[in-house]
C-alpha cells in the first residue's frame, strides 16, 4: 500500500476514469474524497452499463476512508468548499486529481456559445480552481501531487472547438503550475488518455468505436484502471522527481501516424 494515509481529492470520481482512479488510490491506502456533480455512477450505453455502487462505497470496501462531496468543478465556491471540507475531515490534502470533464459533440457552427463556455468551464477553469485552492495545503504536505487528466486530443485537431483546446490548455497549465510550485516540492503532471471505455463514449456510434479500436496499436481499448494505475505511480514516491510531464496512456495512439 504505497499511498497509505495520504489524502486524495479526485474530481469527476463517481463514474468512468475518475472512479477507476479513486479505486486504485484507495487500493493503495489513500483516503479518497470523491467529488462530482452526482453521487450515482453513470451507466453508459456502450460501457459501464451496470455500475451501481457509489465510488466512495467501493473505496470503503477496499479499506479506505472515503466520502462523497458534491462539487461542480466550474464553480469557485464549490471548489473552495471541496478543499475546505477535505482539510477539515482529513487534516490536509496530499494528492489532487483534476479529472472531471465533459464532451459536447459538434463543430464551431453546431456548438452554442454557452456550450463552449460550459466545456471550457468544467474542463479547464475547473483544473485551475482545484489547483488554486489545493496548492496552499499541498505546500504543507511532504508529498504534494497534482495530476491533471488531459487527453490525446490536446495534441491535434478534430476534437471539437472547445474540448480539444481545453485539453491543450490543461497540458500547458500543467507545465506552468509545475514550474511555479516546484520550489515547494509539489509535482504537477498530466495524464493523456486515449480511448477509454467509459460512459463519456455514449455519443459515439459502434462504427466510430471500431475505428478507435483499429487506430489503437495495442490489442484492446483502454480501461479506467489503466489511468488509475498511472495516477498511482505519479502520486507515489517513485515519481518524486517527475514534474511537468504529459504522459500518454493511450495504447500507442500518439505513437502511430495512422
Ligand atoms: P464520464 O462522462 O464517463 O465521467 C465523468 C464524471 O465527471 C461523471 O461522474 C460526471 O458526473 C462528472 N462530472 C461532469 N461534470 C462535472 C463537473 N462540472 N464537476 C464535477 N464532476 C463532473 O467521463 P470519463 O470518460 O470518465 O472522463 C474523465 C476525464 O477523462 C475527462 O476529463 C475526459 O475529458 C478525460 N478523457 C476521457 C477519455 C475517454 O476515452 N473516456 C479520453 C481522454 C480523456
Amino acid at each position: 500500500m504505497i499511498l497509505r494515509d495520504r489524502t486524495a481529492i479526485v474530481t469527476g470520481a463517481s463514474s468512468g476514469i475518475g472512479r477507476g482512479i479513486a479505486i486504485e488510490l484507495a487500493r493503495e491506502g489513500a483516503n479518497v474524497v470523491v467529488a462530482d456533480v452526482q453521487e450515482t455512477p453513470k451507466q453508459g450505453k456502450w460501457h459501464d452499463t451496470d455500475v451501481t455502487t457509489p465510488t466512495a462505497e467501493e473505496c470503503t470496501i477496499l479499506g479506505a476512508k472515503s466520502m462523497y462531496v458534491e462539487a461542480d468543478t466550474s464553480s469557485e465556491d464549490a471548489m473552495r468548499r471541496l478543499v475546505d471540507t477535505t482539510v477539515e475531515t482529513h487534516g490536509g490534502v496530499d494528492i489532487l486529481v483534476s479529472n472531471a470533464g465533459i464532451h459536447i459533440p459538434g463543430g464551431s457552427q453546431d456548438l452554442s456559445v454557452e456550450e463552449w463556455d460550459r466545456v471550457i468551464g468544467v474542463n479547464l477553469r475547473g483544473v485551475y480552481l482545484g489547483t488554486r485552492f489545493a496548492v496552499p495545503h499541498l505546500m504543507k504536505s511532504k508529498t504534494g501531487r497534482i495530476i491533471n487528466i488531459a487527453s490525446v486530443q490536446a495534441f491535434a485537431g478534430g476534437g471539437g472547438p472547445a474540448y480539444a483546446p481545453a485539453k491543450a490548455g490543461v497540458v500547458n497549465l500543467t507545465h506552468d503550475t509545475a514550474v511555479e510550485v516546484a520550489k515547494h516540492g509539489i509535482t504537477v503532471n498530466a495524464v493523456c488518455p486515449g480511448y477509454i471505455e467509459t460512459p463519456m463514449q455514449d455519443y459515439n456510434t459502434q462504427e466510430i468505436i471500431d475505428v478507435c479500436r483499429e487506430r489503437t496499436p495495442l490489442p484492446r481499448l483502454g480501461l479506467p484502471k489503466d489511468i488509475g494505475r498511472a495516477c498511482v505511480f505519479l502520486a507515489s514516491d517513485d515519481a518524486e522527481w517527475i514534474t511537468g510531464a504529459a504522459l500518454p496512456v493511450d495504447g500507442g495512439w500518439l505513437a502511430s501516424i495512422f
Side-chain angles (χ1 to χ4, degrees):
M1 298 234 269
I2 59 179
L3 301 176
R4 190 188 291 279
D5 296 335
R6 295 185 198 175
T7 296
I9 297 172
V10 185
T11 68
S14 289
S15 316
I17 291 175
R19 179 179 172 87
I21 295 168
I23 288 171
E24 294 312 313
L25 296 178
R27 203 187 300 285
E28 296 298 342
N31 308 319
V32 181
V33 177
V34 173
D36 207 295
V37 288
Q38 62 173 74
E39 185 169 15
T40 310
K42 282 163 63 179
Q43 294 194 339
K45 178 176 156 196
W46 305 110
H47 312 299
D48 288 348
T49 53
D50 55 358
V51 177
T52 51
T53 312
T55 303
E57 220 175 288
E58 288 285 349
C59 293
T60 306
I61 291 166
L62 288 167
K65 289 184 199 137
S66 188
M67 64 178 176
Y68 170 74
V69 176
E70 187 169 322
D72 177 342
T73 59
S74 68
S75 159
E76 183 180 348
D77 285 348
M79 291 304 283
R80 187 188 288 107
R81 275 201 307 274
L82 168 64
V83 172
D84 287 350
T85 305
T86 303
V87 173
E88 280 159 23
T89 309
H90 295 290
V93 185
D94 303 291
I95 303 160
L96 168 67
V97 184
S98 286
N99 160 81
I102 55 171
H103 181 270
I104 303 176
S108 68
Q109 304 308 302
D110 315 309
L111 229 57
S112 68
V113 175
E114 292 71 27
E115 286 173 327
W116 191 92
D117 284 341
R118 182 75 190 136
V119 173
I120 299 291
V122 176
N123 296 14
L124 180 56
R125 176 183 157 94
V127 177
Y128 163 68
L129 290 173
T131 299
R132 180 171 177 80
F133 296 122
V135 161
H137 301 285
L138 293 170
M139 283 166 62
K140 295 177 196 153
S141 167
K142 289 192 178 71
T143 53
R145 302 280 192 270
I146 297 175
I147 303 168
N148 297 325
I149 306 304
S151 170
V152 292
Q153 308 262 17
F155 306 106
Y163 183 84
K167 294 303 185 181
V170 168
V171 170
N172 194 273
L173 182 58
T174 301
H175 297 323
D176 190 72
T177 313
V179 172
E180 182 189 317
V181 301
K183 57 182 174 291
H184 302 294
I186 304 168
T187 72
V188 188
N189 293 290
V191 173
C192 302
Y195 185 110
I196 308 295
E197 295 183 347
T198 73
M200 183 176 265
Q201 309 293 2
D202 281 8
Y203 71 94
N204 281 318
T205 60
Q206 186 59 58
E207 290 67 37
I208 291 176
I209 296 172
D210 291 345
V211 169
C212 291
R213 170 62 209 92
E214 285 303 309
R215 171 77 176 70
T216 302
L218 282 174
R220 66 169 172 85
L221 291 168
L223 298 169
K225 184 174 181 175
D226 295 313
I227 307 304
R229 294 315 299 177
C231 290
V232 165
F233 168 65
L234 289 171
S236 75
D237 292 348
D238 288 338
E240 71 179 7
W241 212 60
I242 299 174
T243 198
L247 176 69
V249 180
D250 64 352
W253 181 287
L254 285 176
S256 171
I257 201 163
F258 297 112

